[in-house]
Amino acid sequence: MTDRAWCRMWPNLRPLVGMVHLLPLPGAPGWDGSMRRVLDRAVADAGALVEAGFDALVVENYADVPFHRGDVPAVTVAALTAAVIAVRAAVPVPVGVNVLRNDALAAIGIAAATGALFVRVNVHTGAMWTDQGLIEGRAADTLRLRAALGADIAVLADVHVKHAVPPPGSELAPAAADTWHRGLADALLVTGAGTGVAASLEHVEQVRGAVPGAPVLVASGVGAETVRETLAVADGAIIGSSVMHGGVAGAGIDPRRARALVRAARG
């Protein structure tokens, strides 16, 4: 692998990255008026994941549906910043941020301000048709902001992200190569069709074959029964739904499920 930011963080380990799905933030339709509840839940979920043995966390505004197609409001940036600060203060592992649906500039800004070490970007290069409409990647803007801030923040970029379809003619392997070589992502993510849907391991192999030097992580649908198989072909996994109560995304971390997954992964 090359000496990009994600590789420097994980030279030997195939990390398990847990999702901290935030409750609805101020301004979202589901907001209940209490930022304290948002922060308490975030810290509790982060602690449960780390205690179970997860290696890193992603803080995400998962419950802010319906999502903005482009830039999120300032209040969302402020609330996410507060949540990342609270999580970072509570746990010793690397923390990242994902600003849904695709505000990579906000994610880089939050990471730089809070000391988060990585961001996830759903559409970093190319374009995808989503439930928010057509989303186009802004790799040039994202990486120029990162450079201007002097921040060593890894960019984890989805290739043909979930809850979306590629434009006609966009194939997985060339899209992965463009995301790595032209978009300069630090790691590539492969997902299934939607949240909690297993990714095709054949797709993981296609991405790895197209970009042999890139870290490739599976970022949806990994459970205790599939994690060993997944880590046999991928360089790590981002895990949400399967370790939450009832296996439901956004329902909060179930410590029993989280421990079972880590046991299955580590043998």
Side-chain angles (χ1 to χ4, degrees):
M1 294 182 189
T2 62
D3 185 36
R4 298 195 191 179
W6 185 256
C7 302
R8 292 195 297 276
M9 262 193 286
W10 308 109
N12 302 309
L13 180 67
R14 294 174 185 258
L16 299 174
V17 183
M19 293 301 307
V20 176
H21 284 167
L22 299 177
L23 295 171
L25 300 179
W31 165 243
D32 72 357
S34 174
M35 194 64 196
R36 174 45 53 196
R37 272 192 288 273
V38 172
L39 299 180
D40 287 348
R41 162 74 171 271
V43 168
D45 281 357
L49 287 165
V50 171
E51 184 176 351
F54 277 75
D55 304 298
L57 308 175
V58 178
V59 179
E60 178 182 87
N61 58 324
Y62 176 81
D64 278 1
V65 289
F67 299 120
H68 293 276
R69 181 171 66 90
D71 298 344
V72 301
V75 67
T76 303
V77 177
L80 266 165
T81 300
V84 174
I85 289 171
V87 168
R88 283 205 67 235
V91 298
V93 301
V95 174
V97 60
N98 187 21
V99 184
L100 296 170
R101 175 71 149 119
N102 203 59
D103 196 341
L105 299 183
I108 290 288
I110 293 167
T114 62
L117 295 182
F118 61 98
V119 301
R120 179 177 182 176
V121 183
N122 287 176
V123 184
H124 183 56
T125 59
M128 294 289 286
W129 285 105
T130 76
D131 51 316
Q132 293 79 36
L134 182 66
I135 295 180
E136 299 180 56
R138 300 177 62 185
D141 295 334
T142 300
L143 296 194
R144 280 166 173 76
L145 175 60
R146 182 177 69 173
L149 295 173
D152 190 21
I153 298 165
V155 173
L156 280 59
D158 285 271
V159 181
H160 286 185
V161 69
K162 60 189 174 182
H163 296 290
V165 294
S170 177
E171 298 181 355
L172 186 67
D178 280 347
T179 304
W180 180 255
H181 293 298
R182 295 166 67 84
L184 300 182
D186 295 283
L188 304 178
L189 308 182
V190 179
T191 66
T195 299
V197 178
S200 164
L201 297 186
E202 180 182 342
H203 289 173
V204 177
E205 296 285 12
Q206 287 180 33
V207 170
R208 185 178 296 289
V211 197
V216 180
L217 287 78
V218 172
S220 76
V222 179
E225 67 285 356
T226 61
V227 66
R228 286 292 289 262
E229 177 186 16
T230 298
L231 294 179
V233 297
D235 297 301
I238 299 178
I239 298 164
S241 307
S242 69
V243 295
M244 296 188 181
H245 292 287
V248 177
I253 299 300
D254 180 337
R256 179 187 58 81
R257 284 176 171 266
R259 289 193 298 269
L261 186 137
V262 173
R263 283 197 301 269
R266 305 298 186 213

